[in-house]
Amino acid sequence: MRLAQQPTGMTTPDRHSSGFKRRTRLDEAVDRLLAAVEPHNRTERLPLQMADGRAVAATITAPNPVPGYDRAAMDGFAVRAADTFGAGDRSPSILDLRGPEDEIAPGTAIPVNTGSELPEGADAVVMIEQVDDNGETIMVREAVAEGENVGDAGEDVAEGETLYEPGHRLRPSDLGLLKSVGRWKLDVYQKPTVGVVPTGEELVEADPEPGEIVETNGLTVSQYVTRWGGKATYRNIVTDDKAALRAAIQRDLTKDIIVTTGGSSVGERDLIPEVVDDIGEVLLHGVALKPGYPVAIGVVEQTPVVMLPGYPVSCLVTAMQLLRPAVKKAGYLPIEPHPAREATLTRKLPSEPGTKTFARVETGVDDSDDLMATPTRAGGAGVLSSVAQADGWVVVPEDREGYAAGDRVAVEDWEAQP
């Protein structure tokens, strides 16, 4: 994937002592990343049943109309409308049922069911409620006009009609429509590839000793990448060593995006931004959001690198806000906002001015069935259970110092699809 050149965010060679003197606003960080990421051009042809959730790679038109024939829109009798002119209760039109079974001759009728093909020569359908039927003839008590109670061929989809343009994300209903017009295989964009690299010498896969931590960020991020329409390669843990980190980054330069977890802050063991800047360029380091401000974005040999913090909640928030739109753009998928519900805060929700805050909340209904939102007690960036137990988060903009109890707020559901 090509990444356009951007000015570096590494303004000082000694970041360990300088810390984060300037934090980029979140919307600016997202804009810079998305302006730089260019979607790949790889496509593949898939059977219809395997294309759900994929982005269309070529304009899709209908090879056949739907329906493919004129059809009865009601249960009743196919007729020539002219044979019913003037029909009424006092002077019904009498039509013969003993004519040909597949063609309407003048003065005849043929029984039809809703959806059945209209016999040749017929141009209308008389509803069954408007006739008297003795088995040989029918008496039509109400005239019908030409085309009445008839569904025309192509009424739903016309032959040659454009159904979907490139970039459309296919849904189950789309697949049903495509099957109805006879499209059995589709050209779609391949899933964007993402190398997920967990870092940290304290990380282990299982059975931690004192001072060790079970690796969860890489697993979590990999699963979300899959949910967002990407193809994740979940790598083994890489220790805090420059040579090892450099090799891990270089190994995944064939991917569309590289994402690392951990080691993105300014501590002595936070080496990943230095490594990326040594072999590529760091575009920005430090974003004004909470939790998650130590996130960084870089590029190595035209491959974007998203460096997520190690604290689990910080990692999740920054992945949702930066990695998610990057993955979707890389795969031609629409970047849609998370769905939100309006709720009333049960207690004060503080926030740091100048920082966009993502506050986890639990929701419930009061005695009046109004939705209520309560900030989680365990609010630390390292408390993973606060994410698993939350029902969403409330976003506090940079220009606010928080919300008061009783304020109406939007609760975003980050787990909702797509």
Side-chain angles (χ1 to χ4, degrees):
M1 169 181 294
R2 295 192 301 111
L3 191 67
Q5 293 297 314
Q6 297 283 349
T8 179
M10 298 289 284
T11 58
T12 172
D14 187 5
R15 66 183 181 84
H16 293 299
S17 60
S18 65
F20 296 99
K21 290 185 176 180
R22 178 184 181 274
R23 299 179 187 177
T24 304
R25 286 175 63 99
L26 178 58
D27 56 356
E28 179 185 344
V30 173
D31 287 345
R32 288 178 61 181
L33 177 58
L34 292 183
V37 174
E38 293 186 6
H40 67 73
N41 293 312
R42 304 183 305 274
T43 65
E44 58 186 330
R45 194 166 182 81
L46 292 181
L48 193 64
Q49 63 269 26
M50 296 178 61
D52 185 30
R54 303 297 287 272
V56 172
T59 300
I60 300 177
T61 59
N64 301 300
V66 177
Y69 48 82
D70 292 343
R71 59 183 176 178
M74 294 285 181
D75 291 341
F77 295 86
V79 299
R80 291 159 49 103
D83 289 339
T84 70
F85 289 170
D89 288 334
R90 294 186 177 182
S91 58
S93 294
I94 300 175
L95 303 178
D96 198 337
L97 297 176
R98 294 168 294 183
E101 294 183 357
D102 58 357
E103 182 179 357
I104 297 292
T108 67
I110 295 177
V112 290
N113 297 315
T114 301
S116 61
E117 184 176 5
L118 205 65
E120 185 176 348
D123 57 17
V125 173
V126 179
M127 291 191 297
I128 197 168
E129 300 91 336
Q130 296 172 345
V131 304
D132 293 325
D133 175 13
N134 64 15
E136 295 185 348
T137 62
I138 59 171
M139 289 192 300
V140 181
R141 299 189 302 271
E142 185 174 333
V144 290
E146 184 177 340
E148 189 168 344
N149 300 323
V150 172
D152 295 330
E155 182 180 54
D156 191 357
V157 179
E159 182 177 352
E161 180 180 341
T162 297
L163 300 179
Y164 304 110
E165 297 286 359
H168 175 78
R169 181 179 183 271
L170 292 165
R171 304 158 297 180
S173 58
D174 299 326
L175 303 183
L177 176 60
L178 291 168
K179 183 177 181 181
S180 74
V181 300
R183 287 285 184 189
W184 297 100
K185 291 187 177 181
L186 307 173
D187 291 319
V188 298
Y189 288 107
Q190 292 183 8
K191 295 181 178 181
T193 57
V194 181
V196 181
V197 184
T199 75
E201 64 183 33
E202 76 282 7
L203 299 181
V204 294
E205 290 295 345
D207 303 320
E209 300 289 339
E212 295 179 335
I213 302 172
V214 174
E215 199 293 308
T216 60
N217 288 335
L219 172 64
T220 302
V221 169
S222 295
Q223 295 302 309
Y224 276 118
V225 165
T226 300
R227 181 177 292 188
W228 299 331
K231 182 179 181 180
T233 300
Y234 178 24
R235 298 299 190 181
N236 292 331
I237 298 166
V238 180
T239 191
D240 296 319
D241 174 80
K242 285 188 176 181
L245 293 168
R246 183 182 300 110
I249 295 294
Q250 292 172 331
R251 173 187 57 193
D252 277 343
L253 290 176
T254 58
K255 306 295 186 186
D256 294 311
I257 299 172
I258 299 172
V259 55
T260 63
T261 63
S264 68
S265 191
V266 292
E268 291 301 321
R269 293 192 301 176
D270 294 311
L271 304 175
I272 195 67
E274 287 186 14
V275 169
V276 170
D277 211 39
D278 286 344
I279 60 177
E281 181 182 16
V282 171
L283 306 179
L284 61 88
H285 189 195
V287 176
L289 81 164
K290 183 178 180 180
Y293 69 86
V295 66
I297 298 170
V299 56
V300 178
E301 297 183 14
Q302 300 183 329
T303 300
V305 183
V306 181
M307 294 160 272
L308 304 178
Y311 279 130
V313 183
S314 298
C315 181
L316 173 65
V317 171
T318 51
M320 291 286 178
Q321 300 307 310
L322 290 164
L323 181 60
R324 175 179 179 265
V327 169
K328 287 185 172 292
K329 183 174 182 182
Y332 291 87
L333 295 169
I335 303 170
E336 300 171 344
H338 294 292
R341 299 175 295 165
E342 191 173 79
T344 301
L345 276 178
T346 62
R347 63 170 183 261
K348 181 180 179 181
L349 181 59
S351 178
E352 177 184 343
T355 299
K356 180 170 283 190
T357 299
F358 293 78
R360 287 138 282 163
V361 297
E362 298 176 4
T363 59
V365 295
D366 62 11
D367 293 338
S368 300
D369 287 335
D370 292 328
L371 189 66
M372 311 297 289
T374 302
T376 58
R377 295 286 183 182
V383 184
L384 183 57
S385 62
S386 67
V387 171
Q389 296 170 3
D391 298 308
W393 57 42
V394 173
V395 182
V396 185
E398 293 94 337
D399 58 357
R400 290 191 65 111
E401 294 186 20
Y403 291 110
D407 281 352
R408 297 290 286 173
V409 294
V411 179
E412 291 188 2
D413 183 1
W414 71 79
E415 296 286 6
Q417 297 285 4

